[in-house]
Amino acid sequence: MTKATASKTTTTATKLPRAAFWDMDGTLIDSEPIWHEAELWFAEQHGGDWSEEMGWKVTGTPVPEVAQMMIDRGTKLGVEELGAGLIDFVAKREMEHMPWIPGVLDVLVAVRDAGIPSVLVTASPRAMAESAIAQAPERVFTAYVCGDDVKEKKPNPAPYLAAAAKLGIEGDEIRECIALEDSAVGLESAARSGATTIALTGYIRSDNPPSKNGPQFASIETWDGVTPQMFRDLVTLRLKSVR
């Protein structure tokens, strides 16, 4: 290998990953217990049959779909009214205190300082996405895609493709990006987009978490010890596997 070739290889390697795409609920913030509290409260107040176990089974599912499931089990509200109520309940709790998952803020700052742009990719509405960004360290997010921005929701790849487009990343270039998810529907969405998908498995409360059996390229249990270099290594390994 010539010096020029070696220099070019090194330069290319330091650019990986091109970006990091972050799911919010269950990946950045431990908000699922708050969602389940909201679901139980509305079910109890309006004649529904719901449980925390049912809530965990629909983790990552868009709010209107959860609302319809709750209505199908007896909750006497309309989809829009129930969905808005659930969102308002959770939003108020998060504005009081954003439940960041331990260690994730350090990872976000390290990724920012390494020059890797981060995009928040969430099915939650704009107000909730912006609330999280406002409570995060300064400039850790370059952009966001929320549930109001795309017609097709997770598990469709549209949210991650939209995130890539915000950074001018097209086609197979998305393979050079890291997508961080925790739920089955989120992992499917990210994997279908073509991104190098990493599952966070330590915060889904289930005897057999779907995230451990998903389509991801690799998995991590917690944010302890996670670094930008780890992301670079995973993308590099993934690129070798698809050639």
Side-chain angles (χ1 to χ4, degrees), residues 68-116:
Q68 185 60 62
M69 292 176 196
M70 292 177 65
I71 291 166
D72 292 343
R73 297 188 65 89
T75 305
K76 296 176 177 61
L77 289 172
V79 170
E80 290 187 7
E81 183 180 7
L82 178 54
L86 293 170
I87 289 169
D88 186 60
F89 185 106
V90 176
K92 286 179 178 177
R93 290 294 184 85
E94 291 180 355
M95 287 177 185
E96 294 168 0
H97 173 70
M98 192 63 64
W100 298 107
I101 289 177
V104 74
L105 294 182
D106 291 337
V107 180
L108 283 167
V109 169
V111 169
R112 178 200 66 192
D113 292 349
I116 301 166

Side-chain angles (χ1 to χ4, degrees), residues 55-73:
W56 280 110
K57 287 181 179 178
V58 297
T59 293
T61 303
V63 172
E65 294 180 30
V66 175
Q68 185 60 62
M69 292 176 196
M70 292 177 65
I71 291 166
D72 292 343
R73 297 188 65 89

